[in-house]
Amino acid sequence: MRNNFILILLSILLLSCGNDDSPDSNNAVNLVGQWKITQRTIDGNENPLGECEPFSIYTYNENGTYSELHYAADANTECLDNPSIEFNGTWQKNSETSYSFTNSSNETSEFFIEFNSNNSFTKTSSSFSNPNDPIIQTITEKFIRIE
């Protein structure tokens, strides 16, 4: 009887062990690729993207580096063919939904990223709206995979 009890207990313990291959444990892999922004809200209010902002490309590489290519408009308010501004840096996954991004000036920002699918995610950050103003604003941006 005692052996049966031990056998049943071991079976329950083995069956209750989880698999680390769940989608949540692969979020860092999901982030790898090229993305574009589709929507932004500030404190829950829609904040329209700039005219050329939908053309910006955010690339997150498997080696923990990233680049952002941003486009600007010319005097006729037409988006230029080549990116006007490029940001580079490194990124890392801190926890299930927390990521840190360090730019080339060695400034680090933390974002919360929630994957809606393998092809879209929402990035949220909170910061002071003005260094002299103690009001914190929450910025949420939605992205879709382009490659």
Side-chain angles (χ1 to χ4, degrees):
M1 182 72 165
R2 181 172 181 225
N3 287 341
N4 286 341
F5 176 73
I6 292 173
L7 185 60
I8 291 171
L9 182 62
L10 284 175
S11 297
I12 291 171
L13 289 174
L14 289 175
L15 290 175
S16 66
C17 290
N19 184 347
D20 288 337
D21 293 335
S22 67
D24 288 338
S25 68
N26 292 323
N27 281 354
V29 174
N30 288 345
L31 186 62
V32 172
Q34 290 188 327
W35 303 84
K36 71 176 188 173
I37 189 170
T38 60
Q39 182 183 27
R40 177 183 301 112
T41 60
I42 297 179
D43 294 332
N45 299 311
E46 186 75 26
N47 185 286
L49 298 176
E51 186 173 335
C52 301
E53 213 167 349
F55 299 107
S56 296
I57 299 171
Y58 299 76
T59 304
Y60 302 104
N61 301 304
E62 212 167 331
N63 66 0
T65 61
Y66 75 88
S67 68
E68 297 177 7
L69 301 175
H70 297 277
Y71 293 79
D74 62 15
N76 298 321
T77 67
E78 293 183 24
C79 296
L80 300 172
D81 292 335
N82 296 316
S84 306
I85 303 169
E86 181 175 359
F87 296 110
N88 295 294
T90 60
W91 66 273
Q92 71 176 20
K93 182 178 179 180
N94 302 323
S95 68
E96 187 175 322
T97 58
S98 172
Y99 290 76
S100 291
F101 295 85
T102 304
N103 64 23
S104 57
S105 298
N106 212 29
E107 299 167 327
T108 300
S109 299
E110 185 175 355
F111 296 94
F112 296 95
I113 294 179
E114 180 182 346
F115 288 90
N116 307 313
S117 71
N118 195 39
N119 294 315
S120 68
F121 71 85
T122 302
K123 180 172 82 171
T124 303
S125 65
S126 294
S127 63
F128 292 107
S129 57
N130 177 331
N132 299 321
D133 187 354
I135 297 174
I136 296 177
Q137 65 180 186
T138 300
I139 301 171
T140 302
E141 298 172 321
K142 293 186 180 182
F143 292 82
I144 59 169
R145 185 183 299 277
I146 55 174
E147 189 175 297

